[in-house]
Amino acid sequence: MANYTVNNVDSFIITGFDHLQNQKLLGFLILITYMLILLGNGINLFIIMIDRHLHKPMYILICNLAVVDIMFSSTCSTTMISVLLAEIKTVSYYSCISRMFFYHVGDFTECMALTLMAIDRLLAIRLPLRYHSIVTNSRTFLFIILTWLIAFTLMVVLTLVVDNVPYCQPVIRYVFCDYPSMIRAACVNPEPYFFLPAMINLWWFCGLFPFVMCTYAVMAYSVTKLSSNSSRKQMINTCLSHLIVLLSFYAPKLVSNLLTRIGVVLTLTERNAILIIASLIPPLINPTVYCTRTKEIRKRLADVFLRKRVVPSHLKILL
């Protein structure tokens, strides 16, 4: 850094993959994963949007998660594919900042979306008779909009921080643009700048994650009390779907944070590997889980692949 004195840069160079031998292979794997993410989430959105019978709070939350997954994965995947396959390592300054902004908005809203889905299932199991009066479409939309507003507000703060620090060299040693990589590229002591992200992580791991796990524990207990075997099986399948999605999101983050807290020093390669897994695996798993484990979506998808006549429900009355 001593060789650089500039305070402002026009672009950044992504160097996180420079040491890898098989960059093209990794690039193709990321490209295929990204295409599957777009396909899976696109299918979920299409199926739910065209069928009015699925215009219910749970499916609205699934749609929200699909939109989040597409945005979340697109901001990082496009950069990595460009670096690995097109060999374009340069990202313009404002493009990097905008990708960082939407990446962290996606990360935050995904966490909140999983929390809303857990609360939705808890109310459905614990208060089945009052569920439809408590959880309405309008209230669901309201809470979704609120989570997005909170995410945008927090990320605007982080973006202003990143935009006002001086940069000694235009090099990002990680695999795409995110807040930690840009702060570490600046010629400042990074520790004070990680206070707000640390508070957000603390809120996630000590607040939201235990809360969500407690809701599923309560649900598991409630399911054992159901008298109907079919109802019990349906609730177990629904809860398992949500748990798989939840753990795929939190597991990489928990591993990274726990290893750091117990004194394990991760290499740059290991940090980048965890970052890629945390960014691509949840958006890939989410639509797969909901397509295969949600009965209504699975049935609708089977109708499409079996080439049955698919007519949007709001047009059936005209036929």
Side-chain angles (χ1 to χ4, degrees):
M1 289 188 181
N3 296 328
Y4 297 87
T5 58
V6 293
N7 289 331
N8 297 293
V9 295
D10 296 325
S11 60
F12 290 101
I13 302 171
I14 308 293
T15 63
F17 296 113
D18 284 2
H19 62 287
L20 293 182
Q21 298 295 323
N22 300 313
Q23 294 187 17
K24 295 292 184 184
L25 176 60
L26 179 59
F28 278 114
L29 288 175
I30 292 174
L31 176 61
I32 292 170
T33 302
Y34 179 51
M35 291 174 67
L36 290 174
I37 289 170
L38 294 180
L39 178 64
N41 286 290
I43 288 173
N44 270 355
L45 283 170
F46 174 74
I47 289 174
I48 293 171
M49 287 175 67
I50 66 170
D51 191 343
R52 283 194 175 180
H53 292 103
L54 300 181
H55 293 182
K56 302 174 183 177
M58 186 180 81
Y59 299 102
I60 292 172
L61 291 171
I62 291 176
C63 276
N64 176 55
L65 187 63
V67 171
V68 171
D69 282 337
I70 290 172
M71 181 184 71
F72 182 48
S73 59
S74 295
T75 53
C76 58
S77 296
T78 51
T79 301
M80 294 189 287
I81 292 167
S82 176
V83 172
L84 292 168
L85 296 182
E87 298 183 358
I88 301 173
K89 298 181 180 180
T90 303
V91 181
S92 69
Y93 176 81
Y94 287 108
S95 175
C96 196
I97 282 187
S98 63
R99 293 183 193 203
M100 179 214 79
F101 175 83
F102 286 107
Y103 174 80
H104 289 295
V105 166
D107 199 20
F108 185 90
T109 49
E110 176 132 358
C111 175
M112 297 304 297
L114 296 176
T115 305
L116 290 178
M117 293 171 85
I119 295 171
D120 172 73
R121 290 301 86 201
L122 179 65
L123 292 173
I125 293 174
R126 295 291 293 176
L127 302 170
L129 299 179
R130 296 178 56 197
Y131 170 76
H132 293 292
S133 63
I134 296 173
V135 184
T136 62
N137 287 356
S138 58
R139 286 176 182 170
T140 302
F141 276 116
L142 181 63
F143 278 106
I144 288 172
I145 292 169
L146 183 62
T147 61
W148 281 84
L149 287 175
I150 294 171
F152 270 87
T153 302
L154 288 173
M155 295 317 130
V156 163
V157 174
L158 292 182
T159 303
L160 290 174
V161 170
V162 166
D163 192 36
N164 284 282
V165 294
Y167 291 94
C168 298
Q169 58 177 348
V171 174
I172 289 178
R173 297 188 300 153
Y174 293 81
V175 291
F176 56 81
C177 301
D178 66 347
Y179 182 81
S181 66
M182 295 191 71
I183 287 297
R184 289 191 173 101
C187 46
V188 293
N189 175 17
E191 295 304 322
Y193 293 89
F194 285 115
F195 177 77
L196 180 56
M199 291 299 101
I200 294 173
N201 284 335
L202 186 66
W203 181 41
W204 281 359
F205 297 128
C206 298
L208 288 182
F209 183 65
F211 169 76
V212 173
M213 293 306 293
C214 285
T215 63
Y216 283 110
V218 172
M219 279 187 264
Y221 175 78
S222 300
V223 167
T224 61
K225 301 296 182 181
L226 294 175
S227 57
S228 170
N229 287 331
S230 60
S231 297
R232 189 185 300 119
K233 184 179 178 181
Q234 183 180 0
M235 288 301 179
I236 288 173
N237 283 334
T238 302
C239 291
L240 279 176
S241 301
H242 287 273
L243 273 174
I244 292 169
V245 169
L246 181 75
L247 293 176
S248 73
F249 175 77
Y250 276 105
K253 299 178 186 297
L254 284 170
V255 168
S256 177
N257 279 271
L258 286 174
L259 289 177
T260 303
R261 294 295 174 267
I262 64 176
V264 177
V265 179
L266 298 175
T267 65
L268 187 61
T269 301
E270 291 167 342
R271 288 181 181 274
N272 283 336
I274 292 174
L275 189 61
I276 293 172
I277 291 171
S279 302
L280 296 183
I281 296 304
L284 178 64
I285 288 178
N286 294 350
T288 306
V289 167
Y290 289 120
C291 277
T292 57
R293 298 191 66 89
T294 304
K295 181 181 177 181
E296 290 82 358
I297 296 178
R298 188 171 66 243
K299 181 180 180 298
R300 189 71 176 184
L301 189 62
D303 290 343
V304 173
F305 278 102
L306 292 174
R307 297 185 179 180
K308 293 183 180 180
R309 190 182 183 192
V310 178
V311 181
S313 58
H314 64 284
L315 295 180
K316 288 180 181 179
I317 58 173
L318 300 177
L319 299 177

